[in-house]
Amino acid sequence: WLRDALKDTYDCFNARYTPKSGEVVKNTTQGKNEEDFTNGLERIFSESYRKLKDEGILVFTFHHAKTEAWASVLNSVLNSGFYITAVYPINAEMNTSTHIHEQGNIEYDMIIVCRKRKEELGEKSWEELHDRIYLKAKEAIKDLEKRGGRITQGDMFVVAMGKCLEEYSKYYPNVVRNGEQVDVETAIEEIREIVDTQFMGGRFDELERKFDTPTAAYLSFVAGRGDSISYNTLNKELQQRAVAIENLINWDLVKKKGNQIVKLDLDDRAEKIEGKDANEINAIDRAHYIQYLKKEGNLAKEIGKWADEMAVKALEELGKVENKEELQELAEYTEKKIGESGLESFTG
């Protein structure tokens, strides 16, 4: 749309397709690495700094699932003479967007507001900033949840990164721990640990109290993240919990394929669930089997064997995590049909 509006005024918009050679990305196919990405961003921000009035503001949006991408952005902003005054999370894209595909199931963009740095502040303890970032991120996440927002682990990371950028950049380069400077990479990696251990750990504990360990583990660390997850990523996230990847495999929730952990599809899950003893079946098993019955067109006939209060709640949670309205409808249908002798066809 920019081309249509500006092609007659600016030569750079004359090309039919977006030029790739000057694109600021990390792309191994184009031979562009992390350093190229960081240097490209710094050139953009430095030129923005040169053109911007002293009282002006620079605003851009960003999100990414990887700590190194956030480190590149923050380093580029700081090295260009800016600091970050505010960061606002906004649910800006549909979950089918190609821009966010495989980005850790992130649906929130961060609107990042910057100003020119006019003076350096005195030394600031990283421990103090660390606690402040945690509290501000926790508050922001709760606010999004209250407004009905769907908060995945990727979203929590993005919100926490936003608060990290906001607090850390104010005091850069004078953020210290034990008398030594805390660099950007260290700060961002430690915020990632906050998300993994405190935010996700708290969610897991809450779900474990509500359901059972397999269901809590699936809803906290597997659901809503696409068909597969990196083994190393998942293993790191589970380290702080009393759960291992081998547990997820033994519970017939996932399987290992190379360096990826792959979710079992509904057909495979149903086959595994059918082979379990009654006392081994948990809430997520029931939720998945009810999904399978719907897929096979046998819901009305067989739902009575699988429907209970925990199945309804598991379907509700799964619907929230995977952002699927049909699962919420299935939960409502299941709740309605519990105890009924004549079950009608599900038409949602």
Side-chain angles (χ1 to χ4, degrees):
W1 62 271
L2 283 173
R3 178 180 180 273
D4 289 340
L6 301 174
K7 63 183 179 180
D8 295 330
T9 306
Y10 299 98
D11 291 341
C12 58
F13 286 96
N14 283 336
R16 182 174 181 182
Y17 300 107
T18 303
K20 298 294 184 183
S21 59
E23 191 177 26
V24 177
V25 293
K26 177 184 175 182
N27 188 315
T28 53
T29 303
Q30 296 181 24
K32 297 177 180 180
N33 58 26
E34 192 74 40
E35 185 178 358
D36 295 320
F37 178 60
T38 303
N39 290 341
L41 286 177
E42 195 165 323
R43 286 196 304 272
I44 293 169
F45 291 137
S46 295
E47 180 64 9
S48 299
Y49 185 95
R50 188 178 72 85
K51 292 283 189 180
L52 191 67
K53 293 181 179 179
D54 288 344
E55 67 276 13
I57 60 173
L58 169 71
V59 182
F60 64 96
T61 64
F62 185 75
H63 69 205
H64 206 284
K66 294 185 177 180
T67 53
E68 54 264 32
W70 284 94
S72 293
V73 169
L74 184 52
N75 271 317
S76 300
V77 168
L78 296 174
N79 291 338
S80 302
F82 289 102
Y83 74 102
I84 296 166
T85 60
V87 179
Y88 304 102
I90 180 169
N91 194 321
E93 299 191 42
M94 296 175 62
N95 60 2
T96 55
S97 167
T98 55
H99 178 56
I100 63 174
H101 180 57
E102 294 182 348
Q103 290 296 306
N105 207 34
I106 297 171
E107 293 188 2
Y108 282 87
D109 274 344
M110 291 294 111
I111 298 177
I112 299 173
V113 183
C114 309
R115 287 187 179 274
K116 290 185 174 182
R117 185 186 300 280
K118 297 180 180 178
E119 60 181 0
E120 285 187 9
L121 299 180
E123 281 192 358
K124 194 70 172 179
S125 159
W126 171 240
E127 288 81 0
E128 182 181 342
L129 284 185
H130 186 283
D131 292 343
R132 190 184 299 177
I133 291 164
Y134 166 72
L135 292 173
K136 287 198 169 188
K138 184 177 180 180
E139 182 180 351
I141 289 167
K142 280 187 175 180
D143 182 57
L144 291 174
E145 289 177 330
K146 284 179 182 177
R147 287 188 272 156
R150 168 181 173 266
I151 308 297
T152 67
Q153 183 166 4
D155 293 327
M156 290 183 184
F157 172 69
V158 167
V159 171
M161 280 300 105
K163 295 306 174 185
C164 177
L165 268 60
E166 189 177 329
E167 293 296 324
Y168 178 91
S169 73
K170 291 177 187 175
Y171 297 94
Y172 175 85
N174 297 320
V175 179
V176 298
R177 177 166 52 196
N178 299 326
E180 304 227 345
Q181 181 188 18
V182 176
D183 61 23
V184 169
E185 289 76 13
T186 299
I188 286 181
E189 189 58 43
E190 292 191 13
I191 298 307
R192 162 69 82 180
E193 291 176 10
I194 286 179
V195 176
D196 292 344
T197 61
Q198 298 188 48
F199 291 142
M200 291 309 297
R203 173 168 289 187
F204 172 82
D205 293 341
E206 179 183 343
L207 290 172
E208 190 175 35
R209 288 191 295 270
K210 184 176 181 178
F211 294 108
D212 51 74
T213 302
T215 301
Y218 187 87
L219 291 172
S220 297
F221 300 104
V222 179
R225 303 179 70 178
D227 294 330
S228 64
I229 310 166
S230 161
Y231 180 95
N232 290 335
T233 297
L234 186 58
N235 187 53
K236 183 177 179 181
E237 292 170 0
L238 291 172
Q239 283 178 353
Q240 302 298 322
R241 312 270 71 78
V243 177
I245 289 178
E246 288 69 27
N247 294 131
L248 297 177
I249 294 172
N250 292 335
W251 291 328
D252 300 318
L253 295 169
V254 299
K255 61 184 177 182
K256 188 173 185 292
K257 188 175 181 180
N259 62 356
Q260 296 289 306
I261 296 300
V262 181
K263 290 196 294 189
L264 297 188
D265 61 29
L266 284 178
D267 290 336
D268 289 340
R269 282 285 287 139
E271 183 179 349
K272 297 290 187 182
I273 293 167
E274 288 167 357
K276 290 186 177 184
D277 293 335
N279 60 357
E280 296 178 311
I281 295 174
N282 53 56
I284 198 63
D285 287 340
R286 291 183 179 276
H288 280 156
Y289 203 86
I290 290 172
Q291 285 181 263
Y292 169 75
L293 291 176
K294 178 179 179 291
K295 182 178 80 74
E296 295 296 307
N298 296 324
L299 187 64
K301 183 179 178 182
E302 298 188 36
I303 191 173
K305 303 174 186 176
W306 301 93
D308 66 8
E309 182 182 352
M310 288 295 102
V312 172
K313 290 181 178 179
L315 283 167
E316 289 173 344
E317 290 290 342
L318 198 57
K320 293 175 185 176
V321 172
E322 297 191 343
N323 199 26
K324 292 183 178 179
E325 188 176 338
E326 61 266 29
L327 290 178
Q328 297 290 343
E329 294 173 353
L330 187 54
E332 293 172 7
Y333 174 82
T334 303
E335 184 174 36
K336 178 181 176 183
K337 295 304 177 182
I338 289 175
E340 290 188 9
S341 55
L343 298 175
E344 302 170 2
S345 297
F346 179 72
T347 57

